């Protein structure tokens, strides 16, 4: 504000002071406004920077997925098959189909919403479902047939869609009828919404998808065998279609597996083990040894769950990456890959079953008296474990200190004495050394009632994978192995909680499209309660 000097000369001191105060107040107000604008600009700069980072991440991920899909399509449509037999080629085909479908689903999830009109894409025509298949008609009508203007709606038609359903042993068709209701006065059209599906506009119901997943990952039936089974049931489903369904389901179920992993990490005791699985390198048609790692809460923990992690190797970095910031007691064998994880936050707990196995093999091979005596000592320890199995951690710890600790100390003294008498390098020396070198880790269960005596719990959870290897032959790709690990985590966890895996997956796949992320834990196997329909 500019004031002419001649106006100032006519003002008295009081008026000049008031004018000065007004000017100061205006300047302060402007300074405050400028400061607010600066803050807004800084906030916008932060938002723009965050958006830029998000765009860069999305674009990098899209580029990576696009490249991966291009390579997969080249392997599928441009490779030579001379080095693969018919069974291996079929397994590879279904793996690539599932991988491509999974990548397409991830690209769709990454794509930002847009209002730009897309060119109409020609959809492949789906073959009509056979008329001889049983049909179940499901009607979907509006909750109210009264228009918002107060008039009664009139039914003017309907939309009909059909989905293929599966109840173990029987294929049926769900015929969804959505009536159209119109108001004769205001011409408002009302219709029940399309029920949300795990595969949008797809053919299968959640029951059929659950059957495919359970057959593949629990019953170990490759998709080319399922194709023939569905054909005998009345409707052949191409293995490429089955593979696409498996790929999409793997992506959609991953948030559940992530939530299950987070729930498991709330346990203070974990088991860990790993088993080899052959993984195919489609580019050179050769396999190499990959590994499926298994993790589960301790035997005495309330949570019953198992999470599998498929990795390209047995390197310890995979265990460290999976465990992350978790802290607690880790029950495992003597594999060196776990060693780097032990320290201030993770405590090693040994497996007495592995120690016993060394002496058992020694006794079977040459009837060693030392091995026999070791087995007697260890057997007495397991007698105590059978006694305390169902007690609380405090009671278990008290009884172990009274009964197991004296036995354990006697076993240690006996092993030290025998080791002095045994020649280095012999089988007996190796069996004794295995236990003596890990004695601190093996003894921890005696002092802590929360800890199990061995790692048998996780070995039992990894056994189905070893059984399935005979039917898989190999994992078709790293992505396929990770997808298998995710689905098998849910299936095996459902079994541990007494659920039928087919019923569990059928219900979860039906509810997942409309389930809020904040309530995803409700669908975890240990929390799951089926909806009453």
């Amino acid at each position: 504000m500019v004031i002419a000097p001649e106006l100032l000369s006519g003002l008295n001191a009081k008026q000049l002071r008031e004018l000065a105060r007004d000017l100061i107040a205006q300047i302060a107000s402007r300074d405050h406004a400028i400061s607010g604008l600066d803050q807004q600009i800084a906030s916008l700069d932060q938002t723009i920077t965050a958006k830029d980072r998000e765009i860069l991440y999305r674009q990098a991920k899209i580029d990576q997925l696009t490249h991966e899909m291009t390579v997969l399509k080249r392997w599928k449509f441009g490779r030579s098959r001379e080095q693969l037999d018919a069974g291996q080629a079929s397994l590879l085909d279904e793996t690539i189909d599932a991988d491509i479908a999974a990548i397409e689903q991830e690209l769709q999830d990454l794509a930002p919403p847009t209002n730009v009109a897309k060119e109409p894409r020609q959809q492949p025509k789906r073959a009509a479902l056979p008329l001889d298949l049983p049909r179940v008609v499901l009607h979907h009508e509006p909750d109210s047939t009264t228009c918002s203007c107060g008039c009664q709606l009139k039914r003017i038609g309907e939309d009909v869609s059909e989905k293929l359903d599966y109840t173990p042993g029987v294929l049926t068709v769900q015929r969804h009828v959505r009536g159209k209701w119109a108001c004769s006065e205001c011409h408002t059209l009302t219709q029940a919404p399309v029920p949300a599906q795990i595969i949008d506009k797809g053919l299968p119901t959640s029951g059929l998808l659950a059957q495919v997943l359970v057959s593949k990952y629990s019953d170990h039936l490759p998709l080319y065998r399922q194709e023939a089974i569905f054909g005998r049931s009345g409707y052949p489903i191409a293995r490429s279609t089955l593979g696409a369904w498996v790929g999409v389901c793997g992506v959609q179920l991953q948030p559940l597996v992530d939530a299950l992993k987070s729930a498991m990490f709330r346990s203070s005791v974990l088991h860990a083990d790993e088993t080899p699985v052959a993984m195919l390198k489609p580019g050179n048609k050769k396999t190499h040894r990959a590994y499926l790692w298994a993790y589960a809460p301790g035997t005495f923990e309330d949570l019953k769950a198992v999470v599998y992690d498929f990795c390209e190797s047995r390197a310890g970095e995979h265990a460290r990456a999976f465990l992350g910031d978790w802290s607690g007691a880790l029950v495992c064998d003597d594999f060196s890959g776990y060693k780097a994880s032990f320290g201030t936050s993770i405590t090693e707990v040994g497996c007495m079953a592995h120690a016993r196995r060394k002496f058992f093999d020694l006794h079977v091979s040459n009837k060693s008296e030392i091995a026999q005596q070791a087995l007697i000592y260890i057997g007495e320890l397991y007698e105590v474990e059978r006694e305390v199995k169902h007690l609380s951690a405090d009671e278990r710890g008290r009884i172990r200190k009274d009964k197991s600790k004296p036995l354990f100390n006697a076993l240690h003294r006996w092993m030290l004495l025998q080791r002095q008498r045994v020649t280095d390098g012999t089988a007996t020396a190796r069996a004794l050394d295995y236990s003596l070198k890990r004695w601190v880790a093996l003894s921890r269960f005696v002092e802590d009632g929360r800890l199990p005596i061995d790692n048998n719990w996780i070995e039992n959870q990894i056994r189905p994978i070893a059984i399935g290897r005979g039917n898989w032959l190999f994992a078709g790709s790293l992505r396929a192995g990770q997808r298998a690990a995710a689905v098998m985590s849910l299936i095996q966890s459902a079994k541990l909680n007494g659920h039928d895996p087919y019923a569990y997956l059928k219900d979860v796949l039906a509810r997942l499209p409309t389930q809020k992320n904040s309530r995803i834990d409700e669908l975890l196997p240990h929390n799951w309660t089926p909806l009453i329909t």
Side-chain angles (χ1 to χ4, degrees), residues 18-29:
E18 290 178 354
L19 180 59
R21 283 196 295 269
D22 291 342
L23 290 174
I24 292 172
Q26 292 180 26
I27 292 171
S29 176

Side-chain angles (χ1 to χ4, degrees), residues 107-127:
L107 286 171
Q108 180 180 331
D109 294 341
L110 284 171
T114 177
N115 296 324
V116 179
K118 296 182 179 179
E119 295 182 4
R121 179 181 174 185
Q122 186 174 2
Q123 296 289 340
K125 292 184 178 180
R126 181 186 299 160

